[in-house]
Amino acid sequence: MDVGFLKPLFDRPGPWAGVYMDTSRSTEDAPTRRRLRERFVADQLTSQGADRATCDAVVERLAGEEEARASAGRALFAAGGEVVLDLPLATAPIDVVTSWSMLPRVAPLATFRGEWPACLVAFVDQAGADLELRDDTGTRPAGRAAGRRAHGRGHRSVPADRYEWHYRNRVGNTWEQTADRVADELVRQWAESDAELLILAGDPRGRRAVRDRLPEPLRAKTEEMRHGSRAAGCSELLNAEIDHARAECARAHLESVLDLFRAGRGRPGGPGPSGHDGAGPPSSGAAEGVPAVVEAMRSHQAATLLLGHTGGDMRHEVWIGPDADQVAVQRSQARAMGVRAPEPARADDALMRSAAVADTEVLLVPEGVPGPAGGLGAVLRWHA
């Protein structure tokens, strides 16, 4: 998961109010029930120490909630009397969860936000392609690529043996020219988007022709769908196919990262970064445990931060300063970095802040999948 969208939360000081809630049944909620939920959120935040202006800002945002929301859940983050970030969630929390802390409580996003990659979808036919972008926020149009139309023969009666070859050749050339234009537009759109997967749907001949014209790096990230057409719109079968392709892409990526982590950590029971004392950078391709991961994140050495589904390390207390790089295992270490008044914070939230600012990927290791002991790990960009 790319957590760069969290950067607005770290441009201002805390403390922060956080709310995670289910919005999937909002159309069924009576006005009275919604008001009770708003009062519950306000009471919880007040009891945790939130100021009146911030509580009011959260309640006002909830009161103005649209009756129908496409997302399963919602996360709000507010500070200084203002809601700074209002995010859709792919998975609904079971209960309303509130927090009031110096750092925004962002670590649960790894569970609720979802890790399916964004994808660029092209519905291809002889006239061109309609494009759309799908990500965690939903689906939105991404333009179109106009092809060259083949001109028919009308109703004239002409000898087939004289004109048939020329007609078929002209239609074939039209398909090729259309595929060229669609492929060029897809290359341009891909470079401007955050998509990690390209989906080709529609006419079988057209999508194959487009795929053959894509550069090899993009072709390797392309999947063809059997269902869906430009004329008929997006069917349920196509939606299911696209969801499956995105889920498989996410699963394959997680497995490749975990393979790197296990290889960098060394053989089970052998020496590795888990015993690192925080005095210097980790010496292998992976970091494991609070001291080693804190050091890797602080030095921008981590390519991917791994969070376990459960684990005591994530709740471990660390010490932070106002900057994302100012995170330490001990208060004295934070003071040595120049932090005058270190504040305590959960390790997972502090490391998520570091990841967002450093553009480090964050992945959740699902329950039952072997990952870092204690719940915190990292794959490194380089090692000593």
Side-chain angles (χ1 to χ4, degrees):
M1 180 172 65
D2 178 5
V3 291
F5 63 89
L6 293 176
K7 288 181 181 179
L9 299 180
F10 308 121
D11 291 337
R12 61 177 71 193
W16 286 86
V19 179
Y20 290 83
M21 62 193 310
D22 181 356
T23 58
S24 62
R25 299 187 300 274
S26 58
T27 56
E28 303 171 8
D29 287 348
T32 300
R33 182 175 176 181
R34 288 200 295 271
R35 284 194 294 271
L36 289 174
R37 183 176 61 184
E38 294 158 15
R39 183 181 302 173
F40 173 80
V41 168
D43 290 345
Q44 288 293 304
L45 290 175
T46 299
S47 67
Q48 292 165 5
D51 61 275
R52 178 67 179 272
T54 300
C55 286
D56 289 347
V58 171
V59 171
E60 182 179 353
R61 178 63 64 90
L62 293 177
E65 176 185 354
E66 299 177 3
E67 289 190 358
R69 295 180 65 90
S71 62
R74 183 179 185 186
L76 281 75
F77 301 96
E82 179 185 359
V83 175
V84 180
L85 211 53
D86 185 349
L87 299 171
L89 302 176
T91 303
I94 297 177
D95 300 312
V96 176
V97 179
T98 63
S99 61
W100 178 252
S101 52
M102 186 55 60
L103 281 185
R105 183 77 181 99
V106 293
L109 288 172
T111 298
F112 297 128
R113 180 73 171 174
E115 295 179 357
W116 285 7
C119 66
L120 183 63
V121 183
F123 299 89
V124 182
D125 64 15
Q126 194 172 350
D130 290 329
L131 311 180
E132 66 181 31
L133 186 66
R134 298 189 179 200
D135 57 20
D136 290 333
T137 64
T139 300
R140 56 188 180 274
R144 64 182 58 187
R148 178 178 177 180
R149 293 184 178 274
H151 299 288
R153 292 173 291 181
H155 297 287
R156 292 182 301 168
S157 177
V158 296
D161 59 352
R162 184 175 179 182
Y163 292 104
E164 190 66 29
W165 182 88
H166 294 284
Y167 175 72
R168 290 182 178 178
N169 187 59
R170 184 168 60 201
V171 172
N173 289 338
T174 300
W175 270 113
E176 292 176 2
Q177 292 169 3
T178 295
D180 286 336
R181 294 181 182 181
V182 172
D184 288 344
E185 180 64 16
L186 288 176
V187 170
R188 187 186 71 81
Q189 290 274 7
W190 181 266
E192 296 178 358
S193 74
D194 294 326
E196 301 174 48
L197 184 65
L198 174 60
I199 300 291
L200 298 179
D203 184 273
R205 178 179 179 180
R207 65 179 190 245
R208 285 195 297 268
V210 169
R211 182 170 188 164
D212 289 344
R213 285 161 172 78
L214 295 173
E216 179 55 36
L218 180 52
R219 198 182 312 157
K221 297 179 179 293
T222 301
E223 295 287 343
E224 291 186 49
M225 303 289 102
R226 294 178 300 160
H227 301 94
S229 71
R230 194 181 185 195
C234 196
S235 67
E236 291 185 7
L237 290 174
L238 176 60
N239 281 331
E241 269 196 289
I242 293 175
D243 287 349
H244 178 75
R246 294 175 70 189
E248 280 297 301
C249 182
R251 182 198 60 77
H253 177 60
L254 175 62
E255 270 306 311
S256 67
V257 172
L258 287 176
D259 286 345
L260 290 174
F261 173 76
R262 293 161 189 152
R265 180 174 59 178
R267 297 179 180 177
S274 58
H276 180 61
D277 62 3
S283 58
S284 65
E288 186 174 31
V290 176
V293 176
V294 164
E295 179 61 32
M297 294 298 298
R298 186 170 58 212
S299 61
H300 295 201
Q301 193 178 354
T304 302
L305 172 65
L306 296 172
L307 299 179
H309 194 273
T310 58
D313 282 353
M314 294 187 293
R315 298 187 298 273
H316 195 284
E317 184 179 81
V318 296
W319 296 88
I320 62 168
D323 297 333
D325 293 341
Q326 293 175 327
V327 53
V329 177
Q330 299 176 359
R331 181 186 294 187
S332 59
Q333 291 175 330
R335 285 176 174 162
M337 297 173 191
V339 181
R340 293 185 178 180
E343 294 280 353
R346 283 179 57 121
D348 51 4
D349 290 330
L351 294 173
M352 282 275 280
R353 177 181 70 158
S354 299
V357 173
D359 294 321
T360 298
E361 178 186 41
V362 177
L363 290 180
L364 176 71
V365 182
E367 191 172 8
V369 175
L376 280 181
V379 175
L380 308 184
R381 294 188 173 98
W382 49 268
H383 56 88

